[in-house]
Amino acid sequence: MTIRHLDQLFAPRSVAVFGASDRAGSVGATVWRNVRQGAFKGPRWPVNPKRNQLGEDTCYPDVAGLPAPPDLAVICTPPASVPGLIDALGARGTRAAVVLTAGLDAATKAAMLAAAGRHLLRILGPNCLGLLSPYAGLNASFAHLDAQPGSLAFVSQSGALVTAMLDWAAARGIGFSHCISLGEHADVDFGDLLDWLAGCPHTRAILLYAESVEGARKFMSAARAAARNKPVLIVKAGRSAQGQAAAASHTGALAASDLVLDAAIRRAGMLRVDTLQDLFDAAETLSHFKGQIVSDVATQSPWASSLMLVTNGGGAGVLAADACAREGVPLAPLTETMKAALEPGLPANWSRANPVDIIGDAPVERYVHTLRTLLQDPATGTVLFMHAPTAIVPSADIARALVAELGPLLRAAPGRLQACWLGARAVEEARRIFDAAGIACHDTPESAVRAFAMLATYRRNQFELMQTPPLRRLGAGQPVGVLAPAQAAVDPALKVAAPSSISALIDSALREGRELLTEPEAKALLAAAGVPVVATTIVAPTPEAAAAAAQALGFPVVLKVLSAQISHKSDIGGVALNLETAQDVRAAAQAILARAAQRRPDAIIDGFTVQPMVRRPRALELIVGASVDPQFGPVLLFGQGGTAVEVVADRAVALPPLNAALARGLIERTRVARLLHGWRDVPAADIDAVVDTLMAVSQLLATEPRIAEIDINPLLCDAQGAVALDARVRVSTTRPGGAEHFAIRPYPEDLVEAVDWHGRSLVLRPIRPEDGLQHAAFVEKLDALDMRMRFFYSRRQIGPTEMARLTQIDYEREMAFIATAPAADGVEETLGVARAVADPDNQEAEFAITVRSDLKGGGLGELLMRKLIRHFETRGTQCMVGDVLKENERMLELARQLGFAIDPAHDEPDTARLRLRLRTDA
């Protein structure tokens, strides 16, 4: 991941066009005309060995003939010439190029990249439309239109879509900070551009059109960093399911690649939309409310999840209510208390329900009374105010009165009031008044509801990005700093004919040349990982052996065929339920053997499994599974289970690693979640047991890379808990899973370290999201001077958003080590923290350190800093830097002991820049 030299790509001081021409209709002529006619202020040089002059401009024969090395080279020459040009440009000092040329074969492309690599030259393309940077006055493309300056950055894998977007935006007066065609993205890709655009001051929202995503971990790290700063929206082509036809499990068939991309987008805090119109609508809405949305997420604003509709005409209310039903937007309930509060200011025939119809003859006072009453109660949700013009009162008068009278309420919750002014000229002034007051306006009820739905989705995605789950109390005997695994409700009667060790079970299967574990092996593996399973006995493939085992277990029982060749036992009639007697078992065994011989004559029948019949009539059948996506690595699936699982297709997908909050969010995205919460006289199921199962599977995927698929179906769940009745696990010698293949780097448990500090046992470990409350308590114990030394201000409280940023870090590019120990009440407390964030090029990591005020001077800071330095040395970072107040003598002395030097080039009056070289070549 790198943004090195991207400044030269998007804000160059000089540009050379290779293949510039005056031949009408050629790419070279179009690109040169666009560069020449744009507002770019620096030197512009055409390069073509067959021309001495292009219009009024001198034409140069080659790289050597240019007056100076260009910051940016735009190449539209034949494919075979590209590697040589890149090499010559790099040797001359150019560090960025746009390769518009198409048709580079694999060898030519490899030669181009090798030449670029020798000189650290960045390449956009090949086979791209080019780029447009309006604030630099640069149109280095063969687009038919120039882009107008604006605040949206558009990045597309399709050059044709860039030209269509330019045309569409020009007709609507929409401007861009950048328009970028990726082409084949041989070098510069989505991850690089997300990192660069996240820091671009001209860009307030980033729009992506993607046909494929490669380098999943790089993409996710960049997307998560960018989405913290500004809205990132994506249109992804290809929503059609691409199920794995040869998958050995239901999970493999259900976890189609598009669902996985949805999960990645959600986890990164981005928003996916379906159309270009939605892309712009969402960008406008999210850019307008980004700051408020972050606050809403941090504080869980009660009004952000439902809509209260207010209208002066029944038709608009019905249209909005219908749109809410389509978009899955809940309508806020109108309570009896609220009806009573509204009643004095409304006519006798008002609707007394949501939508609140205040009738078409409403004067200004009725509008003010209604909206003030609703906005005073957060339980009424977000208020969508819809107005159709009438002859009773001018729309502008209503708008002016609402802005004047409701000012304090609107400022207290920006975005809570949204409007739909129906019509055109009659409501133009009203729209302008609301726009000036920062109230979002929409043209139709449907577009207003759609915008709210996108906001709600975005809030949920931002929650997944920045949530900080509550602190867990340490269990007796549990090491400080280590999360407790899920406690499995394993039946002590579980009997298997294989070792219970996860690694040993997989070793045994692979030695025998098997990828599919038997059902008993799969259950033993899951039990060892902490998943509750039902007791299972293996017997020989004879009716008598099955009957004897059933007699020993006690009736009723379930009988299943056991064969390495039969993965889905129900498909061949290989399962018999509710067997009450030994005779029932014998008959069922004979019937299963007969059906297997008829339907799968190739299968070797290894035996039967016998297990107690679990009779929980109100329990729900669920599925929990895992598979490996080609792009994003291991993924988790949850949904409604049973034999018709593919037909029902009620499932949701998430990227590991999971914690409790993310696991619960995965459950709530399914329809079956509503049943888990109980209905009529059926009590709520034990959702915590399902959460524990999901977290156990997530941990299993991280620790055992040989697992390719997991299928727990059904996982039975009711108020008594959860238990896996059937399981299927596929393993592979290719090691497709494991933490190293996670799209999001999981918690690095290998960096947890126990140390002795002045006779006190401490744990030095990476911070984790669950440390939010614990970290807040740590900050509150700092005195005002320490707060100023660390944060450069004296306030002793940090808001929820900032706290989330401190505790939910991306371990791929940053690290925060905390020193912890149990307090007197047994709850873990933080004593100090040292953190650093590396730039995307991994050149520098900027550090900061804080030790609790009452523990300073004991060497804890040095302990933490040495661990931090070792970590960044290991990851290949070139140097560590940090700004320290010059009055902070204790920190300056520690830095000198650790080998830091003061940077003489840093000329800030109050701070010193400390620098430590970690590599000799830095």
Side-chain angles (χ1 to χ4, degrees):
M1 183 178 300
T2 177
I3 57 173
R4 187 179 302 172
H5 303 317
L6 292 191
D7 286 344
Q8 285 93 320
L9 186 66
F10 297 115
R13 292 166 297 183
S14 58
V15 179
V17 178
F18 290 79
S21 171
D22 55 6
R23 181 166 56 86
S26 67
V27 172
T30 305
V31 173
W32 174 244
R33 183 183 69 245
N34 284 345
V35 170
R36 185 72 179 79
Q37 293 180 354
F40 184 71
K41 303 299 183 184
R44 295 165 290 191
W45 301 312
V47 181
N48 189 327
K50 299 178 181 179
R51 300 281 194 278
N52 294 322
Q53 198 81 14
L54 275 181
E56 300 176 358
D57 299 289
T58 300
C59 194
Y60 300 91
D62 51 29
V63 175
L66 289 169
D71 260 10
L72 175 65
V74 184
I75 298 174
C76 37
T77 61
S81 68
V82 173
L85 280 175
I86 293 294
D87 198 29
L89 284 162
R92 187 87 195 271
T94 299
R95 293 295 175 260
V98 182
V99 179
L100 282 69
T101 306
L104 275 69
D105 59 25
T108 305
K109 193 184 300 182
M112 174 192 74
L113 292 174
R118 284 192 291 273
H119 306 290
L120 299 179
L121 186 150
R122 306 308 308 277
I123 292 174
L124 180 66
N127 188 22
C128 69
L129 179 82
L131 68 90
L132 301 92
S133 291
Y135 288 98
L138 179 65
N139 181 356
S141 76
F142 57 93
H144 68 301
L145 287 176
D146 202 354
Q148 298 304 308
S151 58
L152 304 179
F154 181 55
V155 182
S156 173
Q157 281 183 274
S158 166
L161 200 57
V162 172
T163 60
M165 179 71 78
L166 288 169
D167 202 57
W168 189 91
R172 292 159 176 80
I174 296 171
F176 296 91
S177 61
H178 304 279
C179 279
I180 305 162
S181 168
L182 273 178
E184 296 179 27
H185 49 90
D187 174 26
V188 176
D189 59 15
F190 278 121
D192 300 323
L193 293 176
L194 283 167
D195 268 320
W196 192 85
L197 292 169
C200 173
H202 299 301
T203 301
R204 68 184 172 116
I206 303 170
L207 317 182
L208 309 178
Y209 171 79
E211 294 171 354
S212 63
V213 174
E214 298 172 0
R217 183 173 284 188
K218 172 183 176 179
F219 173 79
M220 290 298 290
S221 287
R224 295 175 76 204
R228 291 184 184 279
N229 296 329
K230 54 193 68 173
V232 181
L233 302 104
I234 181 169
V235 173
K236 169 63 173 68
R239 276 194 177 270
S240 57
Q242 300 173 16
Q244 302 171 13
S249 69
H250 297 294
T251 299
L254 288 170
S257 60
D258 194 68
L259 280 177
V260 176
L261 180 64
D262 267 343
I265 290 169
R266 183 182 304 110
R267 188 72 178 270
M270 301 186 291
L271 177 67
R272 183 177 185 176
V273 296
D274 295 323
T275 67
L276 296 182
Q277 178 69 59
D278 284 345
L279 196 66
F280 282 105
D281 289 347
E284 179 61 30
T285 303
L286 295 181
S287 298
H288 194 69
F289 294 121
K290 172 66 177 176
Q292 183 62 34
I293 288 170
V294 172
S295 176
D296 295 344
V297 171
T299 60
Q300 290 294 285
S301 296
W303 54 264
S305 58
S306 60
L307 267 181
M308 178 66 70
L309 307 176
V310 178
T311 178
N312 69 335
V318 171
L319 290 173
D322 286 347
C324 287
R326 286 194 302 272
E327 299 289 345
V329 172
L331 293 178
L334 193 66
T335 64
E336 293 301 321
T337 301
M338 184 54 59
K339 290 177 188 177
L342 288 168
E343 197 76 43
L346 294 178
N349 58 338
W350 76 283
S351 63
R352 294 178 175 81
N354 184 2
V356 177
D357 185 355
I358 63 174
I359 313 303
D361 63 353
V364 169
E365 295 76 18
R366 195 182 298 171
Y367 289 94
V368 172
H369 164 74
T370 302
L371 292 180
R372 177 190 289 126
T373 303
L374 292 172
L375 291 172
Q376 285 173 341
D377 184 355
T380 56
T382 295
V383 178
L384 173 57
F385 163 64
M386 295 168 285
H387 172 78
T390 71
I392 303 296
V393 61
S395 300
D397 290 354
I398 298 170
R400 272 189 290 269
L402 290 173
V403 169
E405 297 290 336
L406 304 180
L409 287 171
L410 298 178
R411 287 189 291 273
R416 189 177 171 202
L417 176 63
Q418 300 194 29
C420 173
W421 295 97
L422 294 160
R425 280 183 294 181
V427 295
E428 279 180 350
E429 188 178 355
R431 281 201 187 106
R432 284 195 296 271
I433 293 168
F434 263 37
D435 283 336
I439 302 171
C441 296
H442 306 276
D443 294 331
T444 66
E446 293 85 354
S447 63
V449 172
R450 175 67 176 152
F452 178 84
M454 288 190 291
L455 280 170
T457 300
Y458 186 68
R459 283 189 180 96
R460 288 193 295 270
N461 294 358
Q462 285 282 302
F463 175 79
E464 292 209 0
L465 173 67
M466 65 199 314
Q467 54 80 33
T468 52
L471 181 69
R472 293 184 180 184
R473 182 172 292 274
L474 300 177
Q478 178 188 344
V480 177
V482 180
L483 285 174
Q487 297 301 308
V490 183
D491 191 310
L494 176 67
K495 300 172 184 176
V496 295
S500 59
S501 159
I502 292 172
S503 179
L505 283 162
I506 296 173
D507 289 342
S508 175
L510 292 177
R511 275 197 305 269
E512 296 174 10
R514 291 186 291 116
E515 287 198 338
L516 278 177
L517 303 188
T518 65
E519 181 192 347
E521 288 172 338
K523 286 180 176 175
L525 182 145
L526 292 171
V531 176
V533 300
V534 71
T536 302
T537 300
I538 305 170
V539 299
T542 66
E544 287 304 323
Q551 197 85 42
L553 276 177
F555 295 102
V557 299
V558 176
L559 185 68
K560 302 178 184 177
V561 68
L562 180 61
S563 170
Q565 290 77 41
I566 301 175
S567 176
H568 297 291
K569 295 176 284 293
S570 296
D571 292 352
I572 63 107
V575 179
L577 306 175
N578 289 307
L579 303 177
E580 298 281 2
T581 66
Q583 183 55 40
D584 291 342
V585 174
R586 293 188 193 94
Q590 290 170 345
I592 288 173
L593 291 172
R595 285 192 292 269
Q598 179 183 8
R599 300 175 187 179
R600 286 297 304 271
D602 61 311
I604 299 172
I605 307 303
D606 299 311
F608 290 110
T609 62
V610 185
Q611 61 190 48
M613 179 69 202
V614 179
R615 285 181 169 167
R616 287 155 72 168
R618 293 187 171 186
L620 293 166
E621 290 188 331
L622 309 173
I623 180 172
V624 169
S627 62
V628 178
D629 181 78
Q631 293 297 327
F632 288 92
V635 298
L636 284 152
L637 177 139
F638 171 80
Q640 185 172 345
T643 56
V645 62
E646 283 102 347
V647 178
V648 175
D650 175 25
R651 80 283 199 197
V653 169
L655 299 183
L658 293 188
N659 57 21
L662 292 170
R664 193 171 292 274
L666 173 61
I667 294 167
E668 295 299 331
R669 288 197 295 275
T670 61
R671 297 189 301 275
V672 75
R674 286 175 277 181
L675 298 178
L676 287 169
H677 289 294
W679 75 99
R680 293 189 178 179
D681 64 335
V682 178
D686 184 359
I687 296 179
D688 286 341
V690 183
V691 168
D692 286 343
T693 298
L694 285 165
M695 289 197 294
V697 173
S698 174
Q699 181 62 32
L700 178 59
L701 292 175
T703 55
E704 182 44 80
R706 293 175 294 177
I707 292 178
E709 288 182 41
I710 296 174
D711 209 55
I712 305 172
N713 182 30
L715 178 75
L716 215 59
C717 185
D718 58 13
Q720 302 173 46
V723 61
L725 300 189
D726 201 357
R728 177 177 298 109
V729 175
R730 184 169 69 85
V731 297
S732 174
T733 56
T734 62
R735 303 172 71 87
E740 64 271 20
H741 289 130
F742 280 15
I744 298 172
R745 186 177 177 184
Y747 184 79
E749 293 184 12
D750 57 310
L751 297 178
V752 178
E753 176 186 8
V755 298
D756 180 81
W757 179 63
H758 301 304
R760 187 177 184 182
S761 295
L762 304 182
V763 168
L764 307 185
R765 63 168 174 84
I767 205 166
R768 60 187 182 226
E770 288 86 348
D771 292 323
L773 297 179
Q774 176 176 323
H775 208 68
F778 163 70
V779 171
E780 288 175 3
K781 291 181 180 179
L782 298 177
D783 61 34
L785 178 61
D786 285 336
M787 285 291 293
R788 195 167 70 83
M789 293 294 186
R790 165 61 182 90
F791 297 103
F792 296 179
Y793 55 70
S794 298
R795 62 184 174 88
R796 295 178 59 186
Q797 288 195 348
I798 294 179
T801 303
E802 190 175 353
M803 185 57 67
R805 182 66 191 90
L806 291 174
T807 56
Q808 201 231 12
I809 67 174
D810 181 357
Y811 303 112
E812 184 68 11
R813 57 168 63 179
E814 56 189 308
M815 182 52 67
F817 288 118
I818 60 174
T820 71
D825 60 359
V827 175
E828 184 184 48
E829 62 177 349
T830 297
L831 310 180
V833 57
R835 66 175 69 242
V837 181
D839 61 37
D841 299 323
N842 202 26
Q843 301 296 299
E844 290 185 347
E846 187 168 0
F847 79 90
I849 180 171
T850 312
V851 173
R852 211 172 70 185
S853 300
D854 60 333
L855 299 175
K856 291 190 304 182
L860 184 57
E862 180 179 355
L863 201 63
L864 286 164
M865 279 299 298
R866 290 194 183 279
K867 186 173 180 66
L868 191 68
I869 291 168
R870 288 195 302 271
H871 172 73
F872 280 93
E873 282 177 335
T874 301
R875 75 188 302 273
T877 307
Q878 292 195 4
C879 63
M880 290 182 69
V881 300
D883 290 336
V884 177
L885 288 171
K886 290 180 178 179
E887 63 186 276
N888 192 351
E889 296 179 0
R890 190 189 297 271
M891 183 63 227
L892 292 172
E893 175 59 30
L894 173 60
R896 280 191 287 269
Q897 294 175 12
L898 294 171
F900 282 85
I902 295 177
D903 187 347
H906 187 74
D907 59 359
E908 292 293 327
D910 298 324
T911 62
R913 168 62 60 94
L914 301 175
R915 184 177 297 274
L916 174 67
R917 293 187 181 275
L918 302 180
R919 289 169 47 185
T920 56
D921 58 343

